[in-house]
Amino acid sequence: MEDKMIRLSGIIHESLVNGPGIRRVFFSQGCKHKCKECFNPETHSFDGGELRNMDELIEELKSNPIISGVTFSGGDPFEQADKFSYMAQRIKALGLNIWCYTGYKFEYILNNLKDNEAWEKLINNIDVLVDGRFEITLRDESIKYRGSSNQRVIDVKSSLSGGEIITLY
Ligand code: SF4
C-alpha cells in the first residue's frame, strides 16, 4: 500500500473495556450513520482527527508485550476499510486478535462485498464484529461490549464458515 496514512480520532493504549483482555484501541475518524445521541459526535467529520502513519502505529504496538488484542472503533472503521484492512493484516501477523465496531449490519456488509474489495479484506481479517447503529431507545448499560441491545458481538470466522450468524456474549 502506497499511502500509509490513516485518519484517527484517537487511540487508547491499554483498554480493558473494548473487548477481552488488555487491548489497544484505534478510533477511526469519519462516520455517516448519525445515530441519535451518539457518544462520539466529534468523530463524524471526514476531515477531523489526525493522520497517523500505520507502520509507526504497528511498531508502537509491537513494543508493548502485554497487549493481547486490538479493537477498531469509531467513527466507523468500514469508511476507511482499505487502511484498516492493511492494519488488520499486519496485526494478525503478530498473533493478536482483532475486534471491529461498525454502524453497518453484518448482513449489509456481506451483501456488498462484491463491489467493495476493501470491505472483503477487512471482514476476512477480523475475528469479531460488533455491528449495527447505536439505538438510543434500545440503550442498555448492562450488556457487555455494546451500547444498545440491537447490536451483536459476532464471531466472524465461525459465521462465515458456518453460513449463519454466531454471536458471543
Ligand atoms: S456508528 Fe457509532 S460513531 Fe457513528 S453515529 Fe453511530 S454511534 Fe456514533
Side-chain angles (χ1 to χ4, degrees):
M1 170 172 279
E2 273 179 33
D3 177 9
K4 296 283 179 71
M5 305 305 279
I6 189 168
R7 191 172 285 278
L8 297 183
S9 59
I11 298 172
I12 299 178
H13 288 88
E14 291 173 14
S15 166
L16 292 168
V17 297
N18 289 276
I22 301 174
R23 310 184 73 83
R24 174 114 346 144
V25 187
F26 296 112
F27 292 89
S28 187
Q29 178 72 34
C31 181
K32 298 175 180 169
H33 297 292
K34 297 189 171 62
C35 307
K36 198 175 164 195
E37 297 194 32
C38 166
F39 297 127
N40 300 317
E42 69 285 355
T43 67
H44 295 179
S45 152
F46 282 85
D47 53 14
E50 61 174 343
L51 288 169
R52 298 291 306 267
N53 182 293
M54 294 189 288
D55 289 339
E56 289 174 10
L57 295 175
I58 300 293
E59 288 308 311
E60 280 174 25
L61 181 62
K62 278 183 181 165
S63 70
N64 186 337
I66 67 167
I67 298 288
S68 58
V70 171
T71 298
F72 302 151
S73 188
D76 195 325
F78 274 77
E79 304 300 356
Q80 292 188 86
D82 55 339
K83 304 293 172 61
F84 277 102
S85 61
Y86 174 81
M87 294 270 285
Q89 281 173 323
R90 294 212 49 200
I91 292 164
K92 290 305 293 175
L94 303 177
L96 299 173
N97 75 79
I98 304 178
W99 281 41
C100 181
Y101 284 75
T102 179
Y104 293 105
K105 287 189 73 174
F106 187 54
E107 293 87 339
Y108 180 86
I109 292 169
L110 296 186
N111 286 337
N112 286 280
L113 289 187
K114 70 173 167 22
D115 303 321
N116 200 329
E117 200 182 319
W119 277 18
E120 186 170 12
K121 263 196 211 151
L122 182 53
I123 203 80
N124 283 315
N125 279 286
I126 59 180
D127 299 291
V128 170
L129 184 79
V130 185
D131 81 330
R133 298 170 77 247
F134 171 64
E135 299 287 351
I136 186 67
T137 55
L138 299 174
R139 180 179 182 168
D140 184 347
E141 287 180 10
S142 69
I143 52 178
K144 247 181 163 176
Y145 305 128
R146 294 163 285 163
S148 56
S149 60
N150 60 297
Q151 296 169 323
R152 300 168 295 183
V153 182
I154 296 171
D155 179 335
V156 174
K157 294 199 187 325
S158 304
S159 300
L160 291 177
S161 62
E164 63 173 332
I165 294 177
I166 310 289
T167 57
L168 307 168
Y169 305 103

